[in-house]
Amino acid sequence: MASILKEIANDFTPLNWKKLVFIVLVFLCLTPWMSPAIALLVGLVVAQTIGNPIQKVNSKVSSLLLKISVVGLGFGMNINSALETGKDGVIFTVVSITLTLFLGFLLGRIFRIDLQISRLVASGTAICGGSAIAAIAPVIKADEKQISVALGIVFILNSIALLVFPSIGHYLDMTQQQFGMWAAIAIHDTSSVVGAAAQYGAEALEVATTVKLTRALWIIPVSIAFALVHGKEGGSKLKIPYFIGYFVLAMLVNTFVPGMEVISPYLVAISKAGLTLTLFLIGAGLSFKSIKSVGFKPLLVGVSLWLFISVTALWVIL
């Protein structure tokens, strides 16, 4: 950590207007004015225009921020309420997550896209969007381009869902509970789930938030499964990423330590800001050439998975 900070300090000496702009954008990412999707886009623009002054250590910084932010998000989860809400639908949760992951890998092979990208997109679609991608990425050692592509796909689909899902729910005359369940399963990120459900009603919001919380717990077993697979592929022994243990510890602290209801919202807010900054740095580390090399196929896989889980969940719920 100290060596990274030292390298960053060296990269910013001497200061010029480009470096000052970069510093201002970093601070903006830590405010409510910058959304994750916009941060990624701004980072991409920075990479193509003024350049990234910390390009040498950008990957190390973004990787560390990812892990810290994922741990912080654990303070927003209550294990008891999540398990209580999810126990009746555990079979459907297991089946839907398994099928989505399998279909993601299958489509990745069919379209011959990068293995790590297909893993990240499938995980984000199956579990909880950007949080799942952030947790899985260090486990499978995905690089900045792979993470950026997966996150970009997820955020595009989140934005669409946030706009169209409430209208579809009203058109189909779904109950508050039905819509809350559907939104929690079919929309990737928790923030977009909350946004869509809040538009539909208070009961839908309560159901959607709790069900999404339950689904997010599957980050842990899926991360461990990827660690097992990745360890075998690399010919090395399994090493469970330390931050997953801290993630579980954060949930336990939030659930059982008195007074955490006062502190936890601030920790979660800081963690979300950390994820936003991470996206900015990931975008700032990408050149136009590397982005262009990705192609249209990963987006097609992401859309296919999203339609599959949305339609399937809607059919089961109705």
Side-chain angles (χ1 to χ4, degrees):
M1 183 67 179
S3 61
I4 294 176
L5 292 174
K6 185 177 180 181
E7 287 188 60
I8 292 174
N10 291 335
D11 288 335
F12 278 100
T13 307
L15 276 175
N16 56 40
W17 72 269
K18 291 183 179 180
K19 293 176 182 178
L20 285 172
V21 169
F22 190 89
I23 292 171
V24 170
L25 291 174
V26 165
F27 280 104
L28 276 176
C29 288
L30 301 176
T31 69
W33 301 323
M34 187 79 81
S35 69
I38 295 299
L40 180 63
L41 180 61
V42 171
L44 291 170
V45 172
V46 166
Q48 317 315 317
T49 53
I50 65 174
N52 185 348
I54 60 167
Q55 187 67 44
K56 294 178 183 178
V57 293
N58 195 79
S59 179
K60 294 179 182 178
V61 175
S62 58
S63 177
L64 182 61
L65 272 175
L66 270 175
K67 294 171 184 175
I68 293 172
S69 300
V70 168
V71 172
L73 291 175
F75 289 103
M77 297 184 178
N78 182 290
I79 291 178
N80 292 329
S81 62
L83 294 177
E84 181 64 29
T85 302
K87 65 181 181 181
D88 294 330
V90 67
I91 295 177
F92 177 66
T93 299
V94 172
V95 171
S96 63
I97 290 175
T98 303
L99 283 177
T100 304
L101 289 171
F102 174 76
L103 184 60
F105 303 154
L106 180 62
L107 290 174
R109 284 184 174 274
I110 291 173
F111 290 107
R112 296 181 180 179
I113 69 171
D114 182 272
L115 176 61
Q116 306 298 52
I117 291 176
S118 66
R119 285 174 170 176
L120 293 175
V121 171
S123 301
T125 305
I127 308 172
C128 55
S131 298
I133 292 171
I136 298 297
V139 176
I140 63 176
K141 297 182 179 178
D143 61 30
E144 292 182 352
K145 184 177 79 170
Q146 294 162 338
I147 297 170
S148 179
V149 170
L151 288 171
I153 291 169
V154 163
F155 285 130
I156 290 170
L157 299 180
N158 273 335
S159 300
I160 295 172
L162 190 59
L163 294 172
V164 304
F165 266 48
S167 298
I168 294 174
H170 287 301
Y171 178 77
L172 296 176
D173 198 26
M174 298 177 73
T175 65
Q176 292 280 313
Q177 187 168 359
Q178 286 176 328
F179 183 83
M181 182 73 71
W182 184 47
I185 294 170
I187 301 178
H188 304 79
D189 274 323
T190 303
S191 57
S192 296
V193 170
V194 171
Q199 294 179 53
Y200 208 78
E203 187 182 345
L205 176 60
E206 183 178 350
V207 172
T209 303
T210 312
V211 173
K212 194 64 181 177
L213 183 66
T214 306
R215 204 171 184 85
L217 291 174
W218 284 87
I219 290 176
I220 301 166
V222 172
S223 296
I224 293 173
F226 273 120
L228 282 165
V229 172
H230 192 75
K232 288 180 179 179
E233 289 174 351
S236 57
K237 294 181 180 179
L238 169 64
K239 293 181 180 179
I240 302 299
Y242 67 86
F243 70 93
I244 294 180
Y246 292 143
F247 176 72
V248 175
L249 181 61
M251 288 193 292
L252 292 172
V253 169
N254 185 59
T255 304
F256 298 111
V257 175
M260 285 304 297
E261 65 275 5
V262 178
I263 304 171
S264 291
Y266 296 102
L267 295 176
V268 173
I270 292 170
S271 300
K272 288 181 177 179
L275 278 176
T276 302
L277 177 56
T278 301
L279 293 181
F280 168 75
L281 293 175
I282 288 173
L286 293 173
S287 66
F288 178 74
K289 184 179 179 181
S290 63
I291 298 169
K292 189 177 180 181
S293 67
V294 173
F296 176 71
K297 291 179 181 179
L299 179 59
L300 185 59
V301 171
V303 172
S304 300
L305 287 177
W306 182 52
L307 290 175
F308 165 75
I309 196 170
S310 299
V311 173
T312 303
L314 186 61
W315 176 71
V316 172
I317 290 168
L318 294 180

PDB file of all heavy atoms in Angstrom, residues 61-74:
ATOM      1  N   VAL A  61      -4.255  -0.063  -8.014  1.00  0.00           N
ATOM      2  CA  VAL A  61      -5.149   0.784  -7.222  1.00  0.00           C
ATOM      3  C   VAL A  61      -6.601   0.353  -7.398  1.00  0.00           C
ATOM      4  O   VAL A  61      -7.346   0.209  -6.417  1.00  0.00           O
ATOM      5  CB  VAL A  61      -4.989   2.268  -7.626  1.00  0.00           C
ATOM      6  CG1 VAL A  61      -6.020   3.140  -6.895  1.00  0.00           C
ATOM      7  CG2 VAL A  61      -3.581   2.756  -7.305  1.00  0.00           C
ATOM      8  N   SER A  62      -7.013   0.131  -8.648  1.00  0.00           N
ATOM      9  CA  SER A  62      -8.407  -0.247  -8.909  1.00  0.00           C
ATOM     10  C   SER A  62      -8.729  -1.615  -8.303  1.00  0.00           C
ATOM     11  O   SER A  62      -9.822  -1.837  -7.779  1.00  0.00           O
ATOM     12  CB  SER A  62      -8.692  -0.252 -10.413  1.00  0.00           C
ATOM     13  OG  SER A  62      -7.832  -1.138 -11.099  1.00  0.00           O
ATOM     14  N   SER A  63      -7.771  -2.548  -8.345  1.00  0.00           N
ATOM     15  CA  SER A  63      -7.978  -3.878  -7.761  1.00  0.00           C
ATOM     16  C   SER A  63      -8.150  -3.796  -6.247  1.00  0.00           C
ATOM     17  O   SER A  63      -9.043  -4.435  -5.672  1.00  0.00           O
ATOM     18  CB  SER A  63      -6.793  -4.788  -8.097  1.00  0.00           C
ATOM     19  OG  SER A  63      -6.931  -6.045  -7.486  1.00  0.00           O
ATOM     20  N   LEU A  64      -7.318  -2.984  -5.594  1.00  0.00           N
ATOM     21  CA  LEU A  64      -7.413  -2.823  -4.142  1.00  0.00           C
ATOM     22  C   LEU A  64      -8.726  -2.155  -3.742  1.00  0.00           C
ATOM     23  O   LEU A  64      -9.394  -2.570  -2.776  1.00  0.00           O
ATOM     24  CB  LEU A  64      -6.227  -1.989  -3.647  1.00  0.00           C
ATOM     25  CG  LEU A  64      -6.141  -1.752  -2.131  1.00  0.00           C
ATOM     26  CD1 LEU A  64      -6.005  -3.071  -1.389  1.00  0.00           C
ATOM     27  CD2 LEU A  64      -4.967  -0.825  -1.810  1.00  0.00           C
ATOM     28  N   LEU A  65      -9.117  -1.130  -4.501  1.00  0.00           N
ATOM     29  CA  LEU A  65     -10.377  -0.433  -4.218  1.00  0.00           C
ATOM     30  C   LEU A  65     -11.579  -1.347  -4.388  1.00  0.00           C
ATOM     31  O   LEU A  65     -12.553  -1.277  -3.623  1.00  0.00           O
ATOM     32  CB  LEU A  65     -10.522   0.785  -5.140  1.00  0.00           C
ATOM     33  CG  LEU A  65      -9.907   2.096  -4.654  1.00  0.00           C
ATOM     34  CD1 LEU A  65     -10.032   3.162  -5.722  1.00  0.00           C
ATOM     35  CD2 LEU A  65     -10.554   2.556  -3.360  1.00  0.00           C
ATOM     36  N   LEU A  66     -11.535  -2.213  -5.402  1.00  0.00           N
ATOM     37  CA  LEU A  66     -12.609  -3.182  -5.622  1.00  0.00           C
ATOM     38  C   LEU A  66     -12.817  -4.040  -4.375  1.00  0.00           C
ATOM     39  O   LEU A  66     -13.946  -4.222  -3.898  1.00  0.00           O
ATOM     40  CB  LEU A  66     -12.273  -4.078  -6.813  1.00  0.00           C
ATOM     41  CG  LEU A  66     -12.725  -3.637  -8.201  1.00  0.00           C
ATOM     42  CD1 LEU A  66     -12.184  -4.589  -9.248  1.00  0.00           C
ATOM     43  CD2 LEU A  66     -14.233  -3.560  -8.290  1.00  0.00           C
ATOM     44  N   LYS A  67     -11.735  -4.584  -3.867  1.00  0.00           N
ATOM     45  CA  LYS A  67     -11.823  -5.488  -2.718  1.00  0.00           C
ATOM     46  C   LYS A  67     -12.338  -4.756  -1.476  1.00  0.00           C
ATOM     47  O   LYS A  67     -13.221  -5.262  -0.763  1.00  0.00           O
ATOM     48  CB  LYS A  67     -10.452  -6.098  -2.445  1.00  0.00           C
ATOM     49  CG  LYS A  67      -9.964  -7.009  -3.561  1.00  0.00           C
ATOM     50  CD  LYS A  67      -8.514  -7.417  -3.366  1.00  0.00           C
ATOM     51  CE  LYS A  67      -8.019  -8.252  -4.533  1.00  0.00           C
ATOM     52  NZ  LYS A  67      -6.577  -8.576  -4.431  1.00  0.00           N
ATOM     53  N   ILE A  68     -11.798  -3.567  -1.217  1.00  0.00           N
ATOM     54  CA  ILE A  68     -12.218  -2.796  -0.042  1.00  0.00           C
ATOM     55  C   ILE A  68     -13.704  -2.435  -0.145  1.00  0.00           C
ATOM     56  O   ILE A  68     -14.455  -2.523   0.838  1.00  0.00           O
ATOM     57  CB  ILE A  68     -11.364  -1.522   0.095  1.00  0.00           C
ATOM     58  CG1 ILE A  68      -9.906  -1.887   0.419  1.00  0.00           C
ATOM     59  CG2 ILE A  68     -11.934  -0.604   1.177  1.00  0.00           C
ATOM     60  CD1 ILE A  68      -8.951  -0.713   0.397  1.00  0.00           C
ATOM     61  N   SER A  69     -14.138  -2.047  -1.329  1.00  0.00           N
ATOM     62  CA  SER A  69     -15.534  -1.642  -1.532  1.00  0.00           C
ATOM     63  C   SER A  69     -16.494  -2.808  -1.350  1.00  0.00           C
ATOM     64  O   SER A  69     -17.583  -2.654  -0.779  1.00  0.00           O
ATOM     65  CB  SER A  69     -15.707  -1.029  -2.927  1.00  0.00           C
ATOM     66  OG  SER A  69     -14.890   0.116  -3.080  1.00  0.00           O
ATOM     67  N   VAL A  70     -16.115  -3.985  -1.855  1.00  0.00           N
ATOM     68  CA  VAL A  70     -16.958  -5.164  -1.691  1.00  0.00           C
ATOM     69  C   VAL A  70     -17.128  -5.500  -0.213  1.00  0.00           C
ATOM     70  O   VAL A  70     -18.233  -5.807   0.248  1.00  0.00           O
ATOM     71  CB  VAL A  70     -16.358  -6.377  -2.444  1.00  0.00           C
ATOM     72  CG1 VAL A  70     -17.061  -7.666  -2.043  1.00  0.00           C
ATOM     73  CG2 VAL A  70     -16.479  -6.178  -3.937  1.00  0.00           C
ATOM     74  N   VAL A  71     -16.054  -5.434   0.550  1.00  0.00           N
ATOM     75  CA  VAL A  71     -16.125  -5.686   1.998  1.00  0.00           C
ATOM     76  C   VAL A  71     -17.071  -4.687   2.656  1.00  0.00           C
ATOM     77  O   VAL A  71     -17.921  -5.047   3.482  1.00  0.00           O
ATOM     78  CB  VAL A  71     -14.729  -5.600   2.644  1.00  0.00           C
ATOM     79  CG1 VAL A  71     -14.838  -5.662   4.170  1.00  0.00           C
ATOM     80  CG2 VAL A  71     -13.840  -6.730   2.138  1.00  0.00           C
ATOM     81  N   GLY A  72     -16.958  -3.424   2.285  1.00  0.00           N
ATOM     82  CA  GLY A  72     -17.811  -2.387   2.863  1.00  0.00           C
ATOM     83  C   GLY A  72     -19.278  -2.605   2.591  1.00  0.00           C
ATOM     84  O   GLY A  72     -20.141  -2.282   3.430  1.00  0.00           O
ATOM     85  N   LEU A  73     -19.609  -3.156   1.412  1.00  0.00           N
ATOM     86  CA  LEU A  73     -21.009  -3.414   1.076  1.00  0.00           C
ATOM     87  C   LEU A  73     -21.630  -4.453   2.008  1.00  0.00           C
ATOM     88  O   LEU A  73     -22.849  -4.507   2.172  1.00  0.00           O
ATOM     89  CB  LEU A  73     -21.123  -3.896  -0.373  1.00  0.00           C
ATOM     90  CG  LEU A  73     -20.807  -2.853  -1.449  1.00  0.00           C
ATOM     91  CD1 LEU A  73     -20.831  -3.496  -2.823  1.00  0.00           C
ATOM     92  CD2 LEU A  73     -21.785  -1.684  -1.398  1.00  0.00           C
ATOM     93  N   GLY A  74     -20.785  -5.292   2.624  1.00  0.00           N
ATOM     94  CA  GLY A  74     -21.294  -6.286   3.562  1.00  0.00           C
ATOM     95  C   GLY A  74     -21.979  -5.672   4.765  1.00  0.00           C
ATOM     96  O   GLY A  74     -22.849  -6.299   5.391  1.00  0.00           O
TER      97      GLY A  74
END
